[in-house]
Amino acid sequence: MTEKSLGEFIQTMPKAEVHVHFEGSTTPASMLELAKRHNKLDLLPAQDIPGLQQWFQFSDFNHFIDVYIVILELIRTPQDFALLAYRCGEDMAVQNIRYREVTVTPFGHTDMQAEKGLTIEAILVGLEDGRQRAKDEFGVEIRWVFDVPRNLSFPNDDGKYDPYPAERTLEQALLGRDYGVVGYGLGGYEPGAPAKPFSHGFAKAREAGFLCVPHAGETFGPQSVWEAIDDLYADRIGHGVRSIEDLALVEVLKERQIPLEINPTSNICLKVYPDFASHPFRQLDEMGVLVTVNSDDPPLFNTTLTQEYHVLAEEFGYSRADLARIARNAFVVSGVESEIKQKLLAEFDAWVAENI
Ligand SMILES: [Zn+2]
């Protein structure tokens, strides 16, 4: 047998991903389609795919938020959710991603943009339709995380916390339990929006059996990760890379094997680190922290999960055996039902036995 090229190795390896955003996975092609569907082409700065691709080119955090808000504006009906969920599955088939845990922010649709008139029931119908079609056509498994937009819980500059977004999102997650919702998250910009006040929502989510998966340690330092662990019962940490700044914290992550959902290209684009050489992925891994690699908002950062594995090999110097070890972690830490997890792991292990 001739050895596979690195590209073939990464492409054919069965992959899982546990940190990727539904809205942030909207491609320029899907955006254009939705804008035409809703007669909202005026929201877009360009009316063709190359022009939109150029608009997607990341410049800074504010630009990122601008694009995100337009994406939210364009997702207006259950059919839109179905289309994007199906496209997510199609992309999984292209990249040989066997399992994806996708973060959706229902509050952004039902409350922040309430004028769209979307109910959570309508959103769930759309998501379920796309998810099932993706499973039937491509054999891929998708589960959802519903996350609270942390900044909307601090509506005024006075630092006063509004519990409504967390309560509302939990209610929505409970309604989605039979439709693939397995986790409860917290996203957004950390400075000025600490994790601790959200503990009421996370305590109930945990009781209800959801995985607790807050973002922490991305745009703020170790304190945010401590709060995610101590106050939000975090089963995994979204990002968590800045834990490296506190060795006692790294020790706790290692001892309790609390996984980090790391997104290297996103971290460079959002300037958490200036370049891959300064990124702590490898250090955290070598210190015994359970790491996974993910793509976050792939079209917005001009990346894919496949590309993130190339970053591990080419920027961080990982061997193929390491890539497989890290890839396996994502299946292990996922929130999918254990019977399916065992099946996915068996498939993964069989591939490794053939290819390493
Ligand atoms: Zn994220």
Side-chain angles (χ1 to χ4, degrees):
M1 193 178 82
T2 49
E3 205 191 32
K4 285 186 163 82
S5 69
L6 178 66
E8 284 169 317
F9 178 86
I10 291 173
Q11 171 60 34
T12 56
M13 180 169 69
K15 292 173 281 295
E17 177 164 47
V18 294
H19 190 121
V20 60
H21 295 267
F22 179 78
E23 293 85 353
S25 295
T26 309
T27 59
S30 296
M31 258 182 125
L32 206 55
E33 193 173 333
L34 292 177
K36 283 184 186 151
R37 186 181 276 188
H38 299 303
N39 209 7
K40 288 200 174 277
L41 281 168
D42 57 317
L43 286 180
L44 303 179
Q47 329 272 280
D48 55 29
I49 291 173
L52 287 177
Q53 260 156 355
Q54 207 162 7
W55 182 51
F56 269 36
Q57 289 302 309
F58 190 82
S59 60
D60 60 19
F61 195 78
N62 287 333
H63 175 65
F64 172 75
I65 296 297
D66 287 347
V67 178
Y68 224 95
I69 300 256
V70 173
I71 292 173
L72 277 186
E73 281 271 342
L74 293 175
I75 307 174
R76 307 188 72 82
T77 64
Q79 292 76 17
D80 300 346
F81 281 88
L83 175 77
L84 295 180
Y86 175 79
R87 293 261 163 92
C88 170
E90 200 173 43
D91 174 60
M92 291 169 73
V94 169
Q95 297 191 63
N96 199 24
I97 299 172
R98 308 291 301 142
Y99 175 80
R100 232 179 201 171
E101 223 158 279
V102 184
T103 296
V104 186
T105 314
F107 191 85
H109 302 278
T110 58
D111 290 73
M112 195 182 111
Q113 293 189 348
E115 70 284 357
K116 295 195 291 195
L118 270 168
T119 61
I120 185 59
E121 288 81 4
I123 291 174
L124 286 168
V125 164
L127 290 175
E128 183 63 3
D129 178 60
R131 185 175 85 103
Q132 289 301 339
R133 275 204 296 142
K135 186 183 157 94
D136 293 345
E137 262 181 61
F138 309 116
V140 295
E141 293 286 352
I142 299 174
R143 297 294 180 276
W144 311 111
V145 170
F146 279 7
D147 84 332
V148 187
R150 67 201 306 153
N151 308 98
L152 298 183
S153 306
F154 295 91
N156 305 309
D157 287 339
D158 57 8
K160 211 166 158 269
Y161 172 74
D162 174 7
Y164 179 67
E167 304 273 347
R168 172 87 159 142
T169 302
L170 180 68
E171 236 172 67
Q172 297 175 325
L174 287 167
L175 286 172
R177 258 219 280 222
D178 293 337
Y179 304 99
V181 180
V182 298
Y184 183 72
L186 179 65
Y189 193 60
E190 294 162 77
K196 195 171 179 171
F198 295 88
S199 61
H200 63 108
F202 279 85
K204 288 185 200 151
R206 186 190 190 212
E207 235 177 275
F210 287 118
L211 273 189
C212 295
V213 289
H215 285 57
E218 176 196 17
T219 44
F220 202 70
Q223 178 60 30
S224 183
V225 182
W226 280 117
E227 287 181 30
I229 295 172
D230 292 339
D231 302 304
L232 306 188
Y233 319 96
D235 292 297
R236 301 191 307 248
I237 306 283
H239 295 282
V241 280
R242 293 194 54 192
S243 306
I244 196 76
E245 295 163 31
D246 180 344
L247 293 182
L249 175 58
V250 172
E251 201 48 45
V252 167
L253 291 171
K254 176 187 160 186
E255 247 170 57
R256 301 194 205 163
Q257 287 290 285
I258 300 172
L260 300 188
E261 308 159 1
I262 304 184
N263 309 272
T265 300
S266 160
N267 292 157
I268 305 308
C269 283
L270 290 174
K271 302 188 168 60
V272 179
Y273 297 101
D275 48 37
F276 289 121
S278 331
H279 195 285
F281 189 104
R282 198 166 174 136
Q283 250 174 301
L284 287 160
D285 182 27
E286 282 170 2
M287 289 164 101
V289 177
L290 209 176
V291 294
T292 62
V293 70
N294 306 272
S295 64
D296 210 6
D297 304 287
L300 297 180
F301 301 134
N302 195 23
T303 190
T304 59
L305 183 61
T306 303
Q307 171 61 23
E308 297 303 308
Y309 278 95
H310 278 277
V311 168
L312 295 194
E314 288 151 24
E315 301 286 345
F316 302 151
Y318 277 115
S319 69
R320 294 181 185 202
D322 284 324
L323 298 188
R325 170 177 61 82
I326 293 163
R328 195 176 195 279
N329 287 346
F331 289 100
V332 171
V333 308
S334 78
V336 74
E337 306 83 274
S338 74
E339 199 182 310
I340 297 179
K341 189 186 284 192
Q342 293 318 316
K343 211 178 101 205
L344 290 165
L345 277 169
E347 180 198 10
F348 179 84
D349 290 340
W351 183 89
V352 169
E354 288 260 306
N355 287 281
I356 298 225

